[in-house]
Amino acid sequence: MTTTKTILRSDELSCPSCVNNIESNLNQTEGISKAKVHFNTGRIEVEHDPDIASEEKLIEVVRRSGYEAHISQF
Amino acid sequence: MKSLQKQLQNATKRKKALLVLSGLLITAGWTVDIFWASGWSFNVLMLLATITAGFEIARRAWQGLWNGHTNIELLVTIAATGGLFIGVFWEAAAVTFLFLLGGWLEARTMSKTRDTLKELINMAPEMAIIVGDEGRREIPARQVEDEMQVLVKPGSKIPVDGIVESGVTTVDESAITGEPIPAEKESGSEVYAGTINKNGRIYIRATKSGADTTLAKIIRRVEEAQEEKAPTQRFIERFASWYTPGIVGLSIISYLFTWNLELGLTLLVIGCPGALVISTPISIISGIGNAAKKGILIKGGEYLENAGKVSAVALDKTGTLTTGKPSVTELIYFSQETALAGVSQEESLAEVHTASLVNGNNGSLPSEGEELLYWTAIAESASEHPLAEAIIAETNEMTDLPEPDQFESHTGQGIEAVLGDNHIYVGKADFLKEKGISIGEGINKEIQNLTNRGRTVVFTARNNKLVGAIGIADPMRTETTEMISKLRENGIERIAMLTGDAKSTANAIAGESGITEVHAGILPEDKNDIILAMQEEGYQVAMVGDGINDAPALATADIGIAMGAAGTDVAIETADIALMTDKLMNIPEALRISKLTLRNIHQNVVIALVTVGALLAGVFAGSVHMAAGMLIHELSVMLVIFNGMRLRWK
């Protein structure tokens, strides 16, 4: 399994508890080994296998949790 | 239809659509009620409004439960469902609509507070033009691999860190180094992602991209600082973790005692801890963001809180209060007429002249002054002493400085050099006296005066005659005095200078800058002891330093502030606050922002607690119902956010 780290950003996190849902949903997705959501900065760090969980898939999971996100280079 | 479905898949657009639809249904409900007085239509429209706005809330509540969390959405969902159950349709619609509207407004304003970070992130372009065997193509900058060749056109931003392979240009590197003057770049020069290529077309060989670039590291540090929780935030989060179940408990108990279901549900609505949980992070994000824009990197909420309580500041002298680079400050020489008249030069004070170079006014130096510099510099040109560097730097305009034929250094005393038939001595007074050169009373008084002002003085003699003396000092930075008075204005009670330098030098700088407490001639470990003593006396101490010798004191102090940290990882890693540039005024500015942020956090906590307290009292007094409770609750959240955001412009 090849693991890569992708950074997503969401401008929409409005309360610290918002992060729990996104984090749990990401962590339960196949192909994602670790996900961490930072409320203060809107940064979402995901360690994943791009063959199983693609970048588009990550965005989709965040969207299913109720928030929009985009891939960030930093 | 398909396009609408696609639009609604976008979470932001879906929330907005639900919000608008719910608002329209509520308006329609009230219109029906006022003009046709139709009770059942009113209730149906309010029910639809509740379902529309409540859909998103219930979905998140369900997701939370599924993931094992209880959240605010759950409280609102229970309250709205209960409201519908007991027939208060308007209250249920208002609660869900206001909660969704509040969330949308909060997200928009929170996003604004993250602007500093966005500005930093947007510094580097998303795409890079790479040049390979198949020609040019544009790819995402983060996908550029090491050794790929990247083309950067004039006027565009550099997408990766790399080495210039061909082309000549100037690059505005202010984003990384804070240096406003663009740097010249040619083949072999290093360039950084996020800097601006001003005028030439360059090809660079990529060395780092995406998260590995220098800009990414700076961004990461700001982010880590913003993510770091302050003690108050940690406390509030612990508080909130039992507060929410506590409110549920209170609402059940109230219902069991009163059998009033609406009272129980209203308690659920007003008990949402929204304003409280957001009170600290909002101030921290704004405070750290504002500081970062000014080149002050505060490492996190904890340091921000500590810096906000600072009552004493200890400052290292060399390199902090002074420039750290010795330079020639005075030239003492004798007038030409006296010398020509053959009178002994050093007999009278009137014949001794002092030229001050402190403000760089050496353009109109008389020939005697030039001569003094000339002979001194010839001797010093063979020396590696730090003071020699200052003298040579002063003679930059003298292009033909010959090298001495012979040179000898007398460690700790001075040097002697021979050029043709000129025999030069440069050094301390005792050294020259030892060589049989007399130093008269007149010049002695002048020298005493300079020594009292913290100058190091070297004498120069040529062919057994005194040519003059040169005063050298590590000059005080121009902003030092203003910085000290600003610290006092900001309520810092005690300001101390800690230095390994001699007392006279330290006193001179202290006197000029307005510092009254001086600890001179001390070792690095003594600095540590002084800070510990200050802490024992009850002061919250900030230590400001720039060198490795300050590291122990920086660590011991309640807050360590490192100067000029751009580019030096060690300083950024060890200090609690790192100033990215050498701008001295950023010291009081960092403490001021910290104090303001601390005050802002306290204000926010008070707003949140007072609102909840007042609402609880209102509910038990029977004057606050569900809809009004939610409105006031949302207003308190917005008030806390706006109060936090004020810090961005402070």
Side-chain angles (χ1 to χ4, degrees), chain B residues 461-484:
Chain B
R462 180 179 148 244
N463 294 342
N464 294 324
K465 273 192 174 170
L466 191 66
V467 186
I470 296 178
I472 297 168
D474 178 7
M476 197 171 81
R477 286 174 197 267
T478 45
E479 307 166 302
T480 300
T481 312
E482 194 189 344
M483 188 267 291
I484 299 295

mmCIF file with all atom_site columns, all heavy atoms in Angstrom, chain B residues 461-484:
data_model
loop_
_atom_site.group_PDB
_atom_site.id
_atom_site.type_symbol
_atom_site.label_atom_id
_atom_site.label_alt_id
_atom_site.label_comp_id
_atom_site.label_asym_id
_atom_site.label_entity_id
_atom_site.label_seq_id
_atom_site.pdbx_PDB_ins_code
_atom_site.Cartn_x
_atom_site.Cartn_y
_atom_site.Cartn_z
_atom_site.occupancy
_atom_site.B_iso_or_equiv
_atom_site.pdbx_formal_charge
_atom_site.auth_seq_id
_atom_site.auth_comp_id
_atom_site.auth_asym_id
_atom_site.auth_atom_id
_atom_site.pdbx_PDB_model_num
ATOM 1   N N   . ALA B 1 461 ? 50.028 56.339 16.021 1.00 0.00 ? 461 ALA B N   1
ATOM 2   C CA  . ALA B 1 461 ? 51.225 57.184 15.957 1.00 0.00 ? 461 ALA B CA  1
ATOM 3   C C   . ALA B 1 461 ? 52.004 56.833 14.696 1.00 0.00 ? 461 ALA B C   1
ATOM 4   O O   . ALA B 1 461 ? 51.973 55.668 14.246 1.00 0.00 ? 461 ALA B O   1
ATOM 5   C CB  . ALA B 1 461 ? 52.092 56.953 17.185 1.00 0.00 ? 461 ALA B CB  1
ATOM 6   N N   . ARG B 1 462 ? 52.621 57.846 14.098 1.00 0.00 ? 462 ARG B N   1
ATOM 7   C CA  . ARG B 1 462 ? 53.453 57.584 12.912 1.00 0.00 ? 462 ARG B CA  1
ATOM 8   C C   . ARG B 1 462 ? 54.816 58.228 13.132 1.00 0.00 ? 462 ARG B C   1
ATOM 9   O O   . ARG B 1 462 ? 54.877 59.408 13.515 1.00 0.00 ? 462 ARG B O   1
ATOM 10  C CB  . ARG B 1 462 ? 52.772 58.186 11.679 1.00 0.00 ? 462 ARG B CB  1
ATOM 11  C CG  . ARG B 1 462 ? 53.539 57.974 10.410 1.00 0.00 ? 462 ARG B CG  1
ATOM 12  C CD  . ARG B 1 462 ? 52.789 58.571 9.228  1.00 0.00 ? 462 ARG B CD  1
ATOM 13  N NE  . ARG B 1 462 ? 53.737 59.049 8.259  1.00 0.00 ? 462 ARG B NE  1
ATOM 14  C CZ  . ARG B 1 462 ? 53.885 60.306 7.916  1.00 0.00 ? 462 ARG B CZ  1
ATOM 15  N NH1 . ARG B 1 462 ? 53.146 61.248 8.462  1.00 0.00 ? 462 ARG B NH1 1
ATOM 16  N NH2 . ARG B 1 462 ? 54.793 60.653 7.020  1.00 0.00 ? 462 ARG B NH2 1
ATOM 17  N N   . ASN B 1 463 ? 55.827 57.423 12.941 1.00 0.00 ? 463 ASN B N   1
ATOM 18  C CA  . ASN B 1 463 ? 57.194 57.904 13.148 1.00 0.00 ? 463 ASN B CA  1
ATOM 19  C C   . ASN B 1 463 ? 57.350 58.640 14.486 1.00 0.00 ? 463 ASN B C   1
ATOM 20  O O   . ASN B 1 463 ? 57.782 59.788 14.545 1.00 0.00 ? 463 ASN B O   1
ATOM 21  C CB  . ASN B 1 463 ? 57.629 58.789 11.986 1.00 0.00 ? 463 ASN B CB  1
ATOM 22  C CG  . ASN B 1 463 ? 57.725 57.980 10.699 1.00 0.00 ? 463 ASN B CG  1
ATOM 23  O OD1 . ASN B 1 463 ? 57.799 56.743 10.752 1.00 0.00 ? 463 ASN B OD1 1
ATOM 24  N ND2 . ASN B 1 463 ? 57.700 58.642 9.568  1.00 0.00 ? 463 ASN B ND2 1
ATOM 25  N N   . ASN B 1 464 ? 56.844 57.939 15.537 1.00 0.00 ? 464 ASN B N   1
ATOM 26  C CA  . ASN B 1 464 ? 56.969 58.410 16.919 1.00 0.00 ? 464 ASN B CA  1
ATOM 27  C C   . ASN B 1 464 ? 56.185 59.661 17.255 1.00 0.00 ? 464 ASN B C   1
ATOM 28  O O   . ASN B 1 464 ? 56.425 60.291 18.275 1.00 0.00 ? 464 ASN B O   1
ATOM 29  C CB  . ASN B 1 464 ? 58.444 58.615 17.294 1.00 0.00 ? 464 ASN B CB  1
ATOM 30  C CG  . ASN B 1 464 ? 59.174 57.285 17.317 1.00 0.00 ? 464 ASN B CG  1
ATOM 31  O OD1 . ASN B 1 464 ? 58.583 56.272 17.709 1.00 0.00 ? 464 ASN B OD1 1
ATOM 32  N ND2 . ASN B 1 464 ? 60.399 57.281 16.847 1.00 0.00 ? 464 ASN B ND2 1
ATOM 33  N N   . LYS B 1 465 ? 55.253 60.048 16.405 1.00 0.00 ? 465 LYS B N   1
ATOM 34  C CA  . LYS B 1 465 ? 54.398 61.194 16.721 1.00 0.00 ? 465 LYS B CA  1
ATOM 35  C C   . LYS B 1 465 ? 52.943 60.759 16.687 1.00 0.00 ? 465 LYS B C   1
ATOM 36  O O   . LYS B 1 465 ? 52.533 60.022 15.786 1.00 0.00 ? 465 LYS B O   1
ATOM 37  C CB  . LYS B 1 465 ? 54.607 62.302 15.682 1.00 0.00 ? 465 LYS B CB  1
ATOM 38  C CG  . LYS B 1 465 ? 55.759 63.209 16.039 1.00 0.00 ? 465 LYS B CG  1
ATOM 39  C CD  . LYS B 1 465 ? 55.742 64.435 15.177 1.00 0.00 ? 465 LYS B CD  1
ATOM 40  C CE  . LYS B 1 465 ? 56.818 65.401 15.655 1.00 0.00 ? 465 LYS B CE  1
ATOM 41  N NZ  . LYS B 1 465 ? 56.990 66.476 14.708 1.00 0.00 ? 465 LYS B NZ  1
ATOM 42  N N   . LEU B 1 466 ? 52.196 61.219 17.676 1.00 0.00 ? 466 LEU B N   1
ATOM 43  C CA  . LEU B 1 466 ? 50.788 60.863 17.748 1.00 0.00 ? 466 LEU B CA  1
ATOM 44  C C   . LEU B 1 466 ? 50.016 61.534 16.607 1.00 0.00 ? 466 LEU B C   1
ATOM 45  O O   . LEU B 1 466 ? 50.113 62.746 16.425 1.00 0.00 ? 466 LEU B O   1
ATOM 46  C CB  . LEU B 1 466 ? 50.237 61.326 19.102 1.00 0.00 ? 466 LEU B CB  1
ATOM 47  C CG  . LEU B 1 466 ? 48.853 60.815 19.473 1.00 0.00 ? 466 LEU B CG  1
ATOM 48  C CD1 . LEU B 1 466 ? 48.866 59.302 19.674 1.00 0.00 ? 466 LEU B CD1 1
ATOM 49  C CD2 . LEU B 1 466 ? 48.372 61.499 20.751 1.00 0.00 ? 466 LEU B CD2 1
ATOM 50  N N   . VAL B 1 467 ? 49.306 60.726 15.820 1.00 0.00 ? 467 VAL B N   1
ATOM 51  C CA  . VAL B 1 467 ? 48.493 61.303 14.729 1.00 0.00 ? 467 VAL B CA  1
ATOM 52  C C   . VAL B 1 467 ? 47.092 61.614 15.244 1.00 0.00 ? 467 VAL B C   1
ATOM 53  O O   . VAL B 1 467 ? 46.455 62.585 14.863 1.00 0.00 ? 467 VAL B O   1
ATOM 54  C CB  . VAL B 1 467 ? 48.398 60.315 13.536 1.00 0.00 ? 467 VAL B CB  1
ATOM 55  C CG1 . VAL B 1 467 ? 47.697 60.940 12.348 1.00 0.00 ? 467 VAL B CG1 1
ATOM 56  C CG2 . VAL B 1 467 ? 49.780 59.827 13.129 1.00 0.00 ? 467 VAL B CG2 1
ATOM 57  N N   . GLY B 1 468 ? 46.616 60.786 16.156 1.00 0.00 ? 468 GLY B N   1
ATOM 58  C CA  . GLY B 1 468 ? 45.279 61.013 16.707 1.00 0.00 ? 468 GLY B CA  1
ATOM 59  C C   . GLY B 1 468 ? 44.726 59.754 17.342 1.00 0.00 ? 468 GLY B C   1
ATOM 60  O O   . GLY B 1 468 ? 45.473 58.802 17.603 1.00 0.00 ? 468 GLY B O   1
ATOM 61  N N   . ALA B 1 469 ? 43.445 59.747 17.583 1.00 0.00 ? 469 ALA B N   1
ATOM 62  C CA  . ALA B 1 469 ? 42.803 58.569 18.186 1.00 0.00 ? 469 ALA B CA  1
ATOM 63  C C   . ALA B 1 469 ? 41.446 58.354 17.522 1.00 0.00 ? 469 ALA B C   1
ATOM 64  O O   . ALA B 1 469 ? 40.849 59.285 16.991 1.00 0.00 ? 469 ALA B O   1
ATOM 65  C CB  . ALA B 1 469 ? 42.646 58.770 19.678 1.00 0.00 ? 469 ALA B CB  1
ATOM 66  N N   . ILE B 1 470 ? 41.009 57.097 17.558 1.00 0.00 ? 470 ILE B N   1
ATOM 67  C CA  . ILE B 1 470 ? 39.732 56.750 16.930 1.00 0.00 ? 470 ILE B CA  1
ATOM 68  C C   . ILE B 1 470 ? 38.805 56.123 17.965 1.00 0.00 ? 470 ILE B C   1
ATOM 69  O O   . ILE B 1 470 ? 39.207 55.206 18.691 1.00 0.00 ? 470 ILE B O   1
ATOM 70  C CB  . ILE B 1 470 ? 39.957 55.764 15.751 1.00 0.00 ? 470 ILE B CB  1
ATOM 71  C CG1 . ILE B 1 470 ? 40.784 56.449 14.654 1.00 0.00 ? 470 ILE B CG1 1
ATOM 72  C CG2 . ILE B 1 470 ? 38.631 55.260 15.181 1.00 0.00 ? 470 ILE B CG2 1
ATOM 73  C CD1 . ILE B 1 470 ? 41.106 55.557 13.468 1.00 0.00 ? 470 ILE B CD1 1
ATOM 74  N N   . GLY B 1 471 ? 37.597 56.676 18.053 1.00 0.00 ? 471 GLY B N   1
ATOM 75  C CA  . GLY B 1 471 ? 36.587 56.118 18.967 1.00 0.00 ? 471 GLY B CA  1
ATOM 76  C C   . GLY B 1 471 ? 35.739 55.108 18.206 1.00 0.00 ? 471 GLY B C   1
ATOM 77  O O   . GLY B 1 471 ? 35.277 55.389 17.099 1.00 0.00 ? 471 GLY B O   1
ATOM 78  N N   . ILE B 1 472 ? 35.577 53.936 18.792 1.00 0.00 ? 472 ILE B N   1
ATOM 79  C CA  . ILE B 1 472 ? 34.791 52.888 18.129 1.00 0.00 ? 472 ILE B CA  1
ATOM 80  C C   . ILE B 1 472 ? 33.703 52.391 19.090 1.00 0.00 ? 472 ILE B C   1
ATOM 81  O O   . ILE B 1 472 ? 33.960 52.231 20.286 1.00 0.00 ? 472 ILE B O   1
ATOM 82  C CB  . ILE B 1 472 ? 35.693 51.702 17.698 1.00 0.00 ? 472 ILE B CB  1
ATOM 83  C CG1 . ILE B 1 472 ? 36.710 52.201 16.668 1.00 0.00 ? 472 ILE B CG1 1
ATOM 84  C CG2 . ILE B 1 472 ? 34.876 50.560 17.109 1.00 0.00 ? 472 ILE B CG2 1
ATOM 85  C CD1 . ILE B 1 472 ? 37.816 51.232 16.385 1.00 0.00 ? 472 ILE B CD1 1
ATOM 86  N N   . ALA B 1 473 ? 32.518 52.202 18.561 1.00 0.00 ? 473 ALA B N   1
ATOM 87  C CA  . ALA B 1 473 ? 31.440 51.686 19.414 1.00 0.00 ? 473 ALA B CA  1
ATOM 88  C C   . ALA B 1 473 ? 30.512 50.828 18.593 1.00 0.00 ? 473 ALA B C   1
ATOM 89  O O   . ALA B 1 473 ? 30.467 50.926 17.376 1.00 0.00 ? 473 ALA B O   1
ATOM 90  C CB  . ALA B 1 473 ? 30.666 52.844 20.020 1.00 0.00 ? 473 ALA B CB  1
ATOM 91  N N   . ASP B 1 474 ? 29.784 49.979 19.315 1.00 0.00 ? 474 ASP B N   1
ATOM 92  C CA  . ASP B 1 474 ? 28.710 49.214 18.683 1.00 0.00 ? 474 ASP B CA  1
ATOM 93  C C   . ASP B 1 474 ? 27.507 50.149 18.785 1.00 0.00 ? 474 ASP B C   1
ATOM 94  O O   . ASP B 1 474 ? 26.934 50.303 19.855 1.00 0.00 ? 474 ASP B O   1
ATOM 95  C CB  . ASP B 1 474 ? 28.513 47.930 19.498 1.00 0.00 ? 474 ASP B CB  1
ATOM 96  C CG  . ASP B 1 474 ? 27.385 47.085 18.962 1.00 0.00 ? 474 ASP B CG  1
ATOM 97  O OD1 . ASP B 1 474 ? 26.846 47.421 17.891 1.00 0.00 ? 474 ASP B OD1 1
ATOM 98  O OD2 . ASP B 1 474 ? 27.021 46.102 19.636 1.00 0.00 ? 474 ASP B OD2 1
ATOM 99  N N   . PRO B 1 475 ? 27.149 50.839 17.711 1.00 0.00 ? 475 PRO B N   1
ATOM 100 C CA  . PRO B 1 475 ? 26.149 51.910 17.854 1.00 0.00 ? 475 PRO B CA  1
ATOM 101 C C   . PRO B 1 475 ? 24.754 51.392 18.200 1.00 0.00 ? 475 PRO B C   1
ATOM 102 O O   . PRO B 1 475 ? 24.372 50.295 17.799 1.00 0.00 ? 475 PRO B O   1
ATOM 103 C CB  . PRO B 1 475 ? 26.151 52.583 16.480 1.00 0.00 ? 475 PRO B CB  1
ATOM 104 C CG  . PRO B 1 475 ? 26.776 51.620 15.555 1.00 0.00 ? 475 PRO B CG  1
ATOM 105 C CD  . PRO B 1 475 ? 27.588 50.659 16.339 1.00 0.00 ? 475 PRO B CD  1
ATOM 106 N N   . MET B 1 476 ? 24.070 52.245 18.961 1.00 0.00 ? 476 MET B N   1
ATOM 107 C CA  . MET B 1 476 ? 22.707 51.904 19.357 1.00 0.00 ? 476 MET B CA  1
ATOM 108 C C   . MET B 1 476 ? 21.813 51.984 18.120 1.00 0.00 ? 476 MET B C   1
ATOM 109 O O   . MET B 1 476 ? 22.002 52.839 17.267 1.00 0.00 ? 476 MET B O   1
ATOM 110 C CB  . MET B 1 476 ? 22.235 52.917 20.394 1.00 0.00 ? 476 MET B CB  1
ATOM 111 C CG  . MET B 1 476 ? 21.040 52.468 21.165 1.00 0.00 ? 476 MET B CG  1
ATOM 112 S SD  . MET B 1 476 ? 20.722 53.594 22.528 1.00 0.00 ? 476 MET B SD  1
ATOM 113 C CE  . MET B 1 476 ? 19.859 54.906 21.693 1.00 0.00 ? 476 MET B CE  1
ATOM 114 N N   . ARG B 1 477 ? 20.862 51.098 18.020 1.00 0.00 ? 477 ARG B N   1
ATOM 115 C CA  . ARG B 1 477 ? 19.916 51.181 16.900 1.00 0.00 ? 477 ARG B CA  1
ATOM 116 C C   . ARG B 1 477 ? 19.090 52.456 17.044 1.00 0.00 ? 477 ARG B C   1
ATOM 117 O O   . ARG B 1 477 ? 18.810 52.896 18.164 1.00 0.00 ? 477 ARG B O   1
ATOM 118 C CB  . ARG B 1 477 ? 18.943 49.998 16.945 1.00 0.00 ? 477 ARG B CB  1
ATOM 119 C CG  . ARG B 1 477 ? 19.547 48.702 16.539 1.00 0.00 ? 477 ARG B CG  1
ATOM 120 C CD  . ARG B 1 477 ? 18.514 47.634 16.776 1.00 0.00 ? 477 ARG B CD  1
ATOM 121 N NE  . ARG B 1 477 ? 19.117 46.331 16.790 1.00 0.00 ? 477 ARG B NE  1
ATOM 122 C CZ  . ARG B 1 477 ? 19.220 45.559 15.715 1.00 0.00 ? 477 ARG B CZ  1
ATOM 123 N NH1 . ARG B 1 477 ? 18.761 45.974 14.562 1.00 0.00 ? 477 ARG B NH1 1
ATOM 124 N NH2 . ARG B 1 477 ? 19.773 44.378 15.803 1.00 0.00 ? 477 ARG B NH2 1
ATOM 125 N N   . THR B 1 478 ? 18.674 52.982 15.908 1.00 0.00 ? 478 THR B N   1
ATOM 126 C CA  . THR B 1 478 ? 17.946 54.256 15.948 1.00 0.00 ? 478 THR B CA  1
ATOM 127 C C   . THR B 1 478 ? 16.619 54.141 16.695 1.00 0.00 ? 478 THR B C   1
ATOM 128 O O   . THR B 1 478 ? 16.166 55.104 17.296 1.00 0.00 ? 478 THR B O   1
ATOM 129 C CB  . THR B 1 478 ? 17.674 54.759 14.513 1.00 0.00 ? 478 THR B CB  1
ATOM 130 O OG1 . THR B 1 478 ? 17.199 53.654 13.747 1.00 0.00 ? 478 THR B OG1 1
ATOM 131 C CG2 . THR B 1 478 ? 18.910 55.334 13.863 1.00 0.00 ? 478 THR B CG2 1
ATOM 132 N N   . GLU B 1 479 ? 16.039 52.931 16.685 1.00 0.00 ? 479 GLU B N   1
ATOM 133 C CA  . GLU B 1 479 ? 14.703 52.795 17.301 1.00 0.00 ? 479 GLU B CA  1
ATOM 134 C C   . GLU B 1 479 ? 14.751 52.489 18.802 1.00 0.00 ? 479 GLU B C   1
ATOM 135 O O   . GLU B 1 479 ? 13.700 52.427 19.437 1.00 0.00 ? 479 GLU B O   1
ATOM 136 C CB  . GLU B 1 479 ? 13.938 51.624 16.678 1.00 0.00 ? 479 GLU B CB  1
ATOM 137 C CG  . GLU B 1 479 ? 13.822 51.596 15.193 1.00 0.00 ? 479 GLU B CG  1
ATOM 138 C CD  . GLU B 1 479 ? 13.352 50.210 14.743 1.00 0.00 ? 479 GLU B CD  1
ATOM 139 O OE1 . GLU B 1 479 ? 14.024 49.217 15.046 1.00 0.00 ? 479 GLU B OE1 1
ATOM 140 O OE2 . GLU B 1 479 ? 12.294 50.150 14.121 1.00 0.00 ? 479 GLU B OE2 1
ATOM 141 N N   . THR B 1 480 ? 15.972 52.250 19.342 1.00 0.00 ? 480 THR B N   1
ATOM 142 C CA  . THR B 1 480 ? 16.052 51.735 20.722 1.00 0.00 ? 480 THR B CA  1
ATOM 143 C C   . THR B 1 480 ? 15.301 52.602 21.745 1.00 0.00 ? 480 THR B C   1
ATOM 144 O O   . THR B 1 480 ? 14.496 52.103 22.514 1.00 0.00 ? 480 THR B O   1
ATOM 145 C CB  . THR B 1 480 ? 17.526 51.560 21.137 1.00 0.00 ? 480 THR B CB  1
ATOM 146 O OG1 . THR B 1 480 ? 18.119 50.633 20.231 1.00 0.00 ? 480 THR B OG1 1
ATOM 147 C CG2 . THR B 1 480 ? 17.651 51.018 22.537 1.00 0.00 ? 480 THR B CG2 1
ATOM 148 N N   . THR B 1 481 ? 15.573 53.930 21.728 1.00 0.00 ? 481 THR B N   1
ATOM 149 C CA  . THR B 1 481 ? 14.963 54.804 22.734 1.00 0.00 ? 481 THR B CA  1
ATOM 150 C C   . THR B 1 481 ? 13.439 54.772 22.623 1.00 0.00 ? 481 THR B C   1
ATOM 151 O O   . THR B 1 481 ? 12.724 54.668 23.628 1.00 0.00 ? 481 THR B O   1
ATOM 152 C CB  . THR B 1 481 ? 15.468 56.245 22.535 1.00 0.00 ? 481 THR B CB  1
ATOM 153 O OG1 . THR B 1 481 ? 16.885 56.184 22.416 1.00 0.00 ? 481 THR B OG1 1
ATOM 154 C CG2 . THR B 1 481 ? 15.087 57.142 23.671 1.00 0.00 ? 481 THR B CG2 1
ATOM 155 N N   . GLU B 1 482 ? 12.946 54.826 21.380 1.00 0.00 ? 482 GLU B N   1
ATOM 156 C CA  . GLU B 1 482 ? 11.499 54.820 21.160 1.00 0.00 ? 482 GLU B CA  1
ATOM 157 C C   . GLU B 1 482 ? 10.894 53.491 21.650 1.00 0.00 ? 482 GLU B C   1
ATOM 158 O O   . GLU B 1 482 ? 9.813  53.474 22.236 1.00 0.00 ? 482 GLU B O   1
ATOM 159 C CB  . GLU B 1 482 ? 11.235 54.995 19.654 1.00 0.00 ? 482 GLU B CB  1
ATOM 160 C CG  . GLU B 1 482 ? 9.801  55.340 19.330 1.00 0.00 ? 482 GLU B CG  1
ATOM 161 C CD  . GLU B 1 482 ? 9.533  55.291 17.834 1.00 0.00 ? 482 GLU B CD  1
ATOM 162 O OE1 . GLU B 1 482 ? 10.505 55.289 17.046 1.00 0.00 ? 482 GLU B OE1 1
ATOM 163 O OE2 . GLU B 1 482 ? 8.347  55.241 17.467 1.00 0.00 ? 482 GLU B OE2 1
ATOM 164 N N   . MET B 1 483 ? 11.653 52.410 21.407 1.00 0.00 ? 483 MET B N   1
ATOM 165 C CA  . MET B 1 483 ? 11.166 51.087 21.812 1.00 0.00 ? 483 MET B CA  1
ATOM 166 C C   . MET B 1 483 ? 11.020 51.009 23.334 1.00 0.00 ? 483 MET B C   1
ATOM 167 O O   . MET B 1 483 ? 10.014 50.518 23.844 1.00 0.00 ? 483 MET B O   1
ATOM 168 C CB  . MET B 1 483 ? 12.158 50.035 21.305 1.00 0.00 ? 483 MET B CB  1
ATOM 169 C CG  . MET B 1 483 ? 11.733 48.604 21.471 1.00 0.00 ? 483 MET B CG  1
ATOM 170 S SD  . MET B 1 483 ? 12.293 47.846 22.982 1.00 0.00 ? 483 MET B SD  1
ATOM 171 C CE  . MET B 1 483 ? 14.036 47.714 22.719 1.00 0.00 ? 483 MET B CE  1
ATOM 172 N N   . ILE B 1 484 ? 12.048 51.551 24.050 1.00 0.00 ? 484 ILE B N   1
ATOM 173 C CA  . ILE B 1 484 ? 12.002 51.497 25.519 1.00 0.00 ? 484 ILE B CA  1
ATOM 174 C C   . ILE B 1 484 ? 10.816 52.309 26.041 1.00 0.00 ? 484 ILE B C   1
ATOM 175 O O   . ILE B 1 484 ? 10.069 51.865 26.917 1.00 0.00 ? 484 ILE B O   1
ATOM 176 C CB  . ILE B 1 484 ? 13.337 52.027 26.127 1.00 0.00 ? 484 ILE B CB  1
ATOM 177 C CG1 . ILE B 1 484 ? 14.522 51.151 25.675 1.00 0.00 ? 484 ILE B CG1 1
ATOM 178 C CG2 . ILE B 1 484 ? 13.263 52.122 27.644 1.00 0.00 ? 484 ILE B CG2 1
ATOM 179 C CD1 . ILE B 1 484 ? 14.503 49.727 26.175 1.00 0.00 ? 484 ILE B CD1 1
#
